[in-house]
Amino acid sequence: MTLRFGGVAALQDVSLEVRAGELISVIGPNGAGKTSLFNCICGLYRPQRGRVVLDGRDITRASPDAIARMGVARTFQNLELFRGMTVLDNLLLGCHRHFRTPVWEVAVWSRRAREEEIRQRERAEAILEFLELQAYRDRPVAALPHGVQKVVELGRALTSQPRLLLLDEPSAGLVAEEKDELKYRLQDARRVFGLTVVLVEHDLRMVMDLSERVVVLDHGEVIAQGPPEVVQRDPKVVEAYLGVGA
Ligand SMILES: Nc1ncnc2c1ncn2[C@@H]1O[C@H](COP(=O)(O)OP(=O)(O)OP(=O)(O)O)[C@@H](O)[C@H]1O
Ligand SMILES: [Mg+2]
């Protein structure tokens, strides 16, 4: 894909593949194009060139809503929760994509609409339990510590039952202990829900511990990719991070 904003190439002929069940990380310095890549996959940005293909289906022109319904969920670098709403209600919003009951049926509150509502609540409660968020269930999100809000965002994404989960800096602002917890949660979530995950993350230890493959972006281009231990030693990567010779 190539994505330009005026003179800036946020992505320049970036090509990458994620296999089902894999966890890959996309790393790179600030402004490298990581969030732009997610925005293209989710349908928020339209690349000028290139395609996004999900299970053999071209989704480049699909709406963000349609892409979410196909099983792609993401979290945002800057938390995008409904701050005045409770944790449970934020999770229930994650279910929204599965709400297939026609509007008129909801209006008359048919049996099917009721059943659907019950299923969604069960799903949200199961995720609350899985992420150990029950204690915060009925608290407004705004009143919670940052670390808990990050977990709630993960919860909202999981409640939508994604096949592909895109995480944009899930550990930003977390203390060491919370980062370790997040790591275990992600490992469990992968196993339990059979997720495919793309992780954008600045914490390299987390990247090294979790990823099967790492893709490195710099100035909108892929400068390295491969197993974490190889990428970590790549001189191009070291230079991009440390600005050696810049
Ligand atoms: N909506 C936009 N309008 C204009 N320029 C944009 C827009 N979104 C991204 N860019 C530019 O594209 C480039 C890549 O930005 P992007 O946010 O994708 O980087 P990033 O790798 O996520 O960085 P960070 O680590 O700081 O989050 C930057 O130069 C940025 O200024
Ligand atoms: Mg970003």
Short mmCIF file of all heavy atoms in Angstrom, two decimals, residues 199-238:
data_model
loop_
_atom_site.label_atom_id
_atom_site.label_comp_id
_atom_site.label_asym_id
_atom_site.label_seq_id
_atom_site.Cartn_x
_atom_site.Cartn_y
_atom_site.Cartn_z
N LEU A 199 0.36 -6.38 16.52
CA LEU A 199 0.66 -5.55 17.68
C LEU A 199 1.59 -4.41 17.26
O LEU A 199 2.65 -4.64 16.69
CB LEU A 199 1.38 -6.45 18.70
CG LEU A 199 1.89 -5.87 19.99
CD1 LEU A 199 0.75 -5.41 20.88
CD2 LEU A 199 2.73 -6.91 20.73
N VAL A 200 1.16 -3.18 17.52
CA VAL A 200 2.05 -2.03 17.36
C VAL A 200 2.48 -1.65 18.76
O VAL A 200 1.64 -1.44 19.64
CB VAL A 200 1.32 -0.85 16.68
CG1 VAL A 200 2.07 0.46 16.91
CG2 VAL A 200 1.17 -1.10 15.19
N GLU A 201 3.78 -1.62 18.98
CA GLU A 201 4.24 -1.49 20.36
C GLU A 201 5.64 -0.89 20.41
O GLU A 201 6.50 -1.26 19.63
CB GLU A 201 4.22 -2.91 20.97
CG GLU A 201 4.55 -3.02 22.42
CD GLU A 201 3.78 -2.08 23.31
OE1 GLU A 201 2.57 -2.21 23.43
OE2 GLU A 201 4.42 -1.17 23.90
N HIS A 202 5.81 0.05 21.34
CA HIS A 202 7.15 0.65 21.51
C HIS A 202 8.00 -0.12 22.52
O HIS A 202 9.22 0.01 22.52
CB HIS A 202 7.03 2.11 21.94
CG HIS A 202 6.75 3.04 20.79
ND1 HIS A 202 7.61 3.22 19.74
CD2 HIS A 202 5.69 3.84 20.52
CE1 HIS A 202 7.10 4.09 18.88
NE2 HIS A 202 5.92 4.48 19.33
N ASP A 203 7.33 -0.87 23.41
CA ASP A 203 8.08 -1.62 24.41
C ASP A 203 8.69 -2.87 23.75
O ASP A 203 8.01 -3.85 23.48
CB ASP A 203 7.16 -2.02 25.56
CG ASP A 203 7.93 -2.70 26.69
OD1 ASP A 203 8.50 -3.79 26.47
OD2 ASP A 203 7.97 -2.14 27.79
N LEU A 204 10.00 -2.83 23.53
CA LEU A 204 10.63 -3.88 22.72
C LEU A 204 10.69 -5.22 23.45
O LEU A 204 10.68 -6.26 22.82
CB LEU A 204 12.02 -3.45 22.26
CG LEU A 204 11.99 -2.33 21.20
CD1 LEU A 204 13.40 -2.04 20.69
CD2 LEU A 204 11.07 -2.66 20.02
N ARG A 205 10.72 -5.17 24.78
CA ARG A 205 10.74 -6.44 25.50
C ARG A 205 9.43 -7.19 25.28
O ARG A 205 9.41 -8.38 25.02
CB ARG A 205 10.97 -6.21 27.00
CG ARG A 205 11.52 -7.47 27.69
CD ARG A 205 11.94 -7.16 29.09
NE ARG A 205 10.76 -6.92 29.92
CZ ARG A 205 10.29 -7.81 30.80
NH1 ARG A 205 10.89 -8.96 30.97
NH2 ARG A 205 9.24 -7.53 31.52
N MET A 206 8.36 -6.42 25.33
CA MET A 206 7.03 -7.01 25.08
C MET A 206 6.99 -7.58 23.66
O MET A 206 6.48 -8.68 23.43
CB MET A 206 6.00 -5.89 25.23
CG MET A 206 4.63 -6.34 25.04
SD MET A 206 3.70 -5.90 26.49
CE MET A 206 2.17 -5.60 25.72
N VAL A 207 7.52 -6.83 22.71
CA VAL A 207 7.53 -7.28 21.31
C VAL A 207 8.32 -8.58 21.18
O VAL A 207 7.87 -9.54 20.55
CB VAL A 207 8.15 -6.17 20.41
CG1 VAL A 207 8.46 -6.70 19.01
CG2 VAL A 207 7.21 -4.98 20.34
N MET A 208 9.50 -8.60 21.79
CA MET A 208 10.36 -9.78 21.69
C MET A 208 9.71 -11.00 22.35
O MET A 208 9.80 -12.11 21.86
CB MET A 208 11.73 -9.53 22.35
CG MET A 208 12.53 -8.42 21.70
SD MET A 208 12.79 -8.73 19.93
CE MET A 208 12.88 -7.06 19.29
N ASP A 209 9.04 -10.78 23.47
CA ASP A 209 8.43 -11.90 24.20
C ASP A 209 7.20 -12.47 23.50
O ASP A 209 6.90 -13.64 23.65
CB ASP A 209 8.03 -11.46 25.62
CG ASP A 209 9.25 -11.23 26.50
OD1 ASP A 209 10.36 -11.59 26.06
OD2 ASP A 209 9.09 -10.70 27.62
N LEU A 210 6.47 -11.62 22.78
CA LEU A 210 5.18 -12.06 22.26
C LEU A 210 5.17 -12.48 20.79
O LEU A 210 4.37 -13.31 20.39
CB LEU A 210 4.14 -10.94 22.43
CG LEU A 210 3.54 -10.71 23.81
CD1 LEU A 210 2.65 -9.48 23.80
CD2 LEU A 210 2.72 -11.92 24.25
N SER A 211 6.07 -11.86 19.98
CA SER A 211 5.87 -11.98 18.54
C SER A 211 6.55 -13.18 17.91
O SER A 211 7.65 -13.55 18.29
CB SER A 211 6.40 -10.74 17.82
OG SER A 211 6.36 -9.63 18.63
N GLU A 212 5.88 -13.71 16.91
CA GLU A 212 6.52 -14.73 16.08
C GLU A 212 7.33 -14.06 14.98
O GLU A 212 8.32 -14.60 14.52
CB GLU A 212 5.44 -15.60 15.43
CG GLU A 212 5.00 -16.72 16.34
CD GLU A 212 3.50 -16.81 16.49
OE1 GLU A 212 2.79 -16.67 15.47
OE2 GLU A 212 3.04 -17.02 17.61
N ARG A 213 6.87 -12.88 14.56
CA ARG A 213 7.54 -12.15 13.50
C ARG A 213 7.44 -10.67 13.80
O ARG A 213 6.47 -10.23 14.40
CB ARG A 213 6.82 -12.41 12.18
CG ARG A 213 7.73 -12.92 11.09
CD ARG A 213 7.00 -13.61 9.96
NE ARG A 213 5.59 -13.41 9.83
CZ ARG A 213 5.01 -12.55 8.98
NH1 ARG A 213 5.74 -11.75 8.23
NH2 ARG A 213 3.70 -12.50 8.89
N VAL A 214 8.45 -9.92 13.37
CA VAL A 214 8.44 -8.48 13.57
C VAL A 214 8.66 -7.78 12.23
O VAL A 214 9.51 -8.20 11.45
CB VAL A 214 9.56 -8.05 14.57
CG1 VAL A 214 9.57 -6.55 14.76
CG2 VAL A 214 9.38 -8.76 15.91
N VAL A 215 7.85 -6.76 11.98
CA VAL A 215 8.00 -5.94 10.78
C VAL A 215 8.41 -4.55 11.25
O VAL A 215 7.78 -4.00 12.15
CB VAL A 215 6.67 -5.86 9.99
CG1 VAL A 215 6.79 -4.91 8.81
CG2 VAL A 215 6.23 -7.26 9.53
N VAL A 216 9.47 -4.01 10.66
CA VAL A 216 9.94 -2.69 11.09
C VAL A 216 9.66 -1.66 10.01
O VAL A 216 10.09 -1.80 8.87
CB VAL A 216 11.47 -2.71 11.39
CG1 VAL A 216 11.88 -1.39 12.04
CG2 VAL A 216 11.83 -3.88 12.28
N LEU A 217 8.95 -0.61 10.40
CA LEU A 217 8.66 0.50 9.50
C LEU A 217 9.53 1.68 9.87
O LEU A 217 9.79 1.93 11.05
CB LEU A 217 7.20 0.95 9.65
CG LEU A 217 6.06 0.13 9.03
CD1 LEU A 217 4.73 0.82 9.36
CD2 LEU A 217 6.24 0.02 7.54
N ASP A 218 9.96 2.41 8.87
CA ASP A 218 10.65 3.68 9.10
C ASP A 218 10.30 4.61 7.95
O ASP A 218 10.42 4.21 6.78
CB ASP A 218 12.17 3.45 9.19
CG ASP A 218 12.91 4.70 9.64
OD1 ASP A 218 12.29 5.56 10.32
OD2 ASP A 218 14.09 4.84 9.30
N HIS A 219 9.85 5.81 8.25
CA HIS A 219 9.42 6.75 7.22
C HIS A 219 8.51 6.10 6.20
O HIS A 219 8.67 6.30 4.99
CB HIS A 219 10.63 7.38 6.52
CG HIS A 219 11.48 8.21 7.45
ND1 HIS A 219 11.03 9.37 8.04
CD2 HIS A 219 12.74 8.03 7.90
CE1 HIS A 219 11.98 9.87 8.80
NE2 HIS A 219 13.03 9.07 8.74
N GLY A 220 7.58 5.28 6.66
CA GLY A 220 6.58 4.70 5.76
C GLY A 220 7.06 3.52 4.94
O GLY A 220 6.33 3.04 4.07
N GLU A 221 8.28 3.04 5.20
CA GLU A 221 8.77 1.89 4.44
C GLU A 221 9.15 0.75 5.37
O GLU A 221 9.62 0.98 6.49
CB GLU A 221 9.99 2.30 3.61
CG GLU A 221 9.64 3.25 2.48
CD GLU A 221 10.86 3.57 1.62
OE1 GLU A 221 11.30 2.66 0.89
OE2 GLU A 221 11.34 4.71 1.69
N VAL A 222 8.98 -0.48 4.86
CA VAL A 222 9.44 -1.65 5.62
C VAL A 222 10.95 -1.73 5.45
O VAL A 222 11.45 -1.89 4.35
CB VAL A 222 8.78 -2.94 5.10
CG1 VAL A 222 9.34 -4.16 5.83
CG2 VAL A 222 7.27 -2.89 5.26
N ILE A 223 11.68 -1.59 6.57
CA ILE A 223 13.15 -1.65 6.46
C ILE A 223 13.69 -3.00 6.93
O ILE A 223 14.84 -3.33 6.65
CB ILE A 223 13.85 -0.51 7.23
CG1 ILE A 223 13.47 -0.53 8.71
CG2 ILE A 223 13.52 0.85 6.60
CD1 ILE A 223 14.42 0.30 9.58
N ALA A 224 12.88 -3.79 7.62
CA ALA A 224 13.33 -5.11 8.04
C ALA A 224 12.13 -5.93 8.44
O ALA A 224 11.12 -5.38 8.88
CB ALA A 224 14.30 -5.00 9.22
N GLN A 225 12.21 -7.24 8.28
CA GLN A 225 11.22 -8.12 8.89
C GLN A 225 11.79 -9.51 9.08
O GLN A 225 12.69 -9.91 8.37
CB GLN A 225 9.91 -8.15 8.12
CG GLN A 225 9.99 -8.60 6.68
CD GLN A 225 8.58 -8.60 6.08
OE1 GLN A 225 7.64 -9.14 6.66
NE2 GLN A 225 8.42 -7.98 4.92
N GLY A 226 11.28 -10.19 10.09
CA GLY A 226 11.78 -11.53 10.39
C GLY A 226 11.54 -11.88 11.84
O GLY A 226 10.81 -11.18 12.54
N PRO A 227 12.18 -12.96 12.30
CA PRO A 227 12.03 -13.34 13.71
C PRO A 227 12.59 -12.25 14.62
O PRO A 227 13.55 -11.57 14.24
CB PRO A 227 12.89 -14.61 13.83
CG PRO A 227 13.18 -15.05 12.43
CD PRO A 227 13.08 -13.85 11.56
N PRO A 228 11.99 -12.06 15.80
CA PRO A 228 12.37 -10.96 16.68
C PRO A 228 13.87 -10.88 16.96
O PRO A 228 14.46 -9.79 16.90
CB PRO A 228 11.60 -11.22 17.96
CG PRO A 228 10.75 -12.41 17.76
CD PRO A 228 10.87 -12.84 16.35
N GLU A 229 14.50 -12.03 17.22
CA GLU A 229 15.91 -11.97 17.62
C GLU A 229 16.82 -11.53 16.45
O GLU A 229 17.86 -10.93 16.67
CB GLU A 229 16.36 -13.28 18.27
CG GLU A 229 16.24 -14.56 17.47
CD GLU A 229 14.80 -15.09 17.31
OE1 GLU A 229 13.85 -14.47 17.86
OE2 GLU A 229 14.63 -16.10 16.59
N VAL A 230 16.37 -11.79 15.22
CA VAL A 230 17.16 -11.38 14.05
C VAL A 230 16.97 -9.89 13.80
O VAL A 230 17.92 -9.13 13.61
CB VAL A 230 16.75 -12.20 12.80
CG1 VAL A 230 17.49 -11.69 11.56
CG2 VAL A 230 16.99 -13.69 13.02
N VAL A 231 15.70 -9.47 13.83
CA VAL A 231 15.36 -8.07 13.56
C VAL A 231 16.04 -7.13 14.56
O VAL A 231 16.56 -6.07 14.21
CB VAL A 231 13.83 -7.89 13.58
CG1 VAL A 231 13.43 -6.45 13.74
CG2 VAL A 231 13.21 -8.48 12.32
N GLN A 232 16.07 -7.57 15.80
CA GLN A 232 16.64 -6.77 16.87
C GLN A 232 18.11 -6.41 16.61
O GLN A 232 18.58 -5.36 17.00
CB GLN A 232 16.54 -7.59 18.17
CG GLN A 232 16.78 -6.82 19.42
CD GLN A 232 16.57 -7.72 20.64
OE1 GLN A 232 16.67 -8.96 20.55
NE2 GLN A 232 16.28 -7.11 21.76
N ARG A 233 18.82 -7.32 15.94
CA ARG A 233 20.26 -7.10 15.69
C ARG A 233 20.53 -6.45 14.35
O ARG A 233 21.67 -6.15 14.02
CB ARG A 233 21.00 -8.45 15.75
CG ARG A 233 21.13 -9.01 17.16
CD ARG A 233 22.16 -10.12 17.16
NE ARG A 233 21.86 -11.14 16.14
CZ ARG A 233 21.17 -12.25 16.38
NH1 ARG A 233 20.73 -12.50 17.58
NH2 ARG A 233 20.93 -13.11 15.41
N ASP A 234 19.47 -6.25 13.53
CA ASP A 234 19.65 -5.69 12.19
C ASP A 234 20.18 -4.25 12.30
O ASP A 234 19.55 -3.41 12.94
CB ASP A 234 18.30 -5.72 11.47
CG ASP A 234 18.41 -5.38 10.00
OD1 ASP A 234 19.10 -4.39 9.67
OD2 ASP A 234 17.81 -6.10 9.19
N PRO A 235 21.31 -3.97 11.67
CA PRO A 235 21.90 -2.62 11.78
C PRO A 235 20.95 -1.52 11.31
O PRO A 235 20.94 -0.42 11.89
CB PRO A 235 23.12 -2.69 10.86
CG PRO A 235 23.39 -4.14 10.60
CD PRO A 235 22.12 -4.88 10.85
N LYS A 236 20.10 -1.80 10.30
CA LYS A 236 19.15 -0.78 9.82
C LYS A 236 18.14 -0.42 10.91
O LYS A 236 17.71 0.72 11.03
CB LYS A 236 18.38 -1.30 8.59
CG LYS A 236 19.21 -1.36 7.33
CD LYS A 236 18.35 -1.47 6.08
CE LYS A 236 17.55 -2.76 5.99
NZ LYS A 236 18.33 -3.99 5.81
N VAL A 237 17.78 -1.43 11.69
CA VAL A 237 16.80 -1.22 12.75
C VAL A 237 17.43 -0.42 13.88
O VAL A 237 16.86 0.55 14.39
CB VAL A 237 16.26 -2.57 13.28
CG1 VAL A 237 15.31 -2.36 14.44
CG2 VAL A 237 15.60 -3.35 12.16
N VAL A 238 18.64 -0.81 14.25
CA VAL A 238 19.37 -0.10 15.31
C VAL A 238 19.53 1.37 14.91
O VAL A 238 19.27 2.27 15.71
CB VAL A 238 20.75 -0.76 15.55
CG1 VAL A 238 21.56 0.03 16.56
CG2 VAL A 238 20.58 -2.21 15.99
#
